[in-house]
Amino acid sequence: MSASWALLIFPAALVVIVLGAIAVSKLQKGSLGRDELRSVTAPSAVAPTGFQQSVQESREEFVRRHWRRSGVVANGVTLVDLYDRIRALEERVSRAEQLPASPPPPD
């Protein structure tokens, strides 16, 4: 008799996990629907979170502000390094444009 009870443990646990996942999924869908409805009816009432990019800030500023937060930027260190390299290259180009053009070599 105890062997048959032991065999029921796995299917019972599986049923509990599946039903729990379904319940959580329905709760998340319901919560998402209410949040969307609230943002449509009163967009100014929704407080911005720390992960949202403001209208005035560029993508670079957003990445620099959140580069250590996982899930916000794909690879913050690489993106910040890339922005630094682009800025250095732009400075070199602007300095090169400001230098007087050297005369072409004689033929």
Side-chain angles (χ1 to χ4, degrees):
M1 183 85 168
S2 66
S4 63
W5 284 105
L7 292 175
L8 291 177
I9 291 174
F10 179 73
L14 189 61
V15 167
V16 167
I17 290 172
V18 169
L19 291 177
I22 291 171
V24 167
S25 174
K26 288 189 182 233
L27 286 173
Q28 285 177 343
K29 285 181 184 177
S31 172
L32 181 62
R34 276 186 259 130
D35 289 343
E36 288 176 352
L37 180 63
R38 189 177 341 148
S39 66
V40 168
T41 56
S44 61
V46 178
T49 64
F51 296 127
Q52 291 180 342
Q53 182 177 349
S54 69
V55 177
Q56 299 88 5
E57 98 181 311
S58 68
R59 179 69 180 157
E60 178 182 355
E61 292 167 343
F62 177 79
V63 169
R64 287 187 184 277
R65 188 165 48 104
H66 295 292
W67 73 274
R68 288 192 180 125
R69 292 184 170 175
S70 63
V72 178
V73 287
N75 191 345
V77 177
T78 305
L79 287 174
V80 169
D81 181 51
L82 181 63
Y83 285 133
D84 290 340
R85 289 179 185 207
I86 291 171
R87 182 172 290 147
L89 182 61
E90 287 172 346
E91 290 173 2
R92 286 178 53 200
V93 167
S94 67
R95 281 194 310 256
E97 288 174 346
Q98 292 173 355
L99 293 176
S102 59
D107 289 330

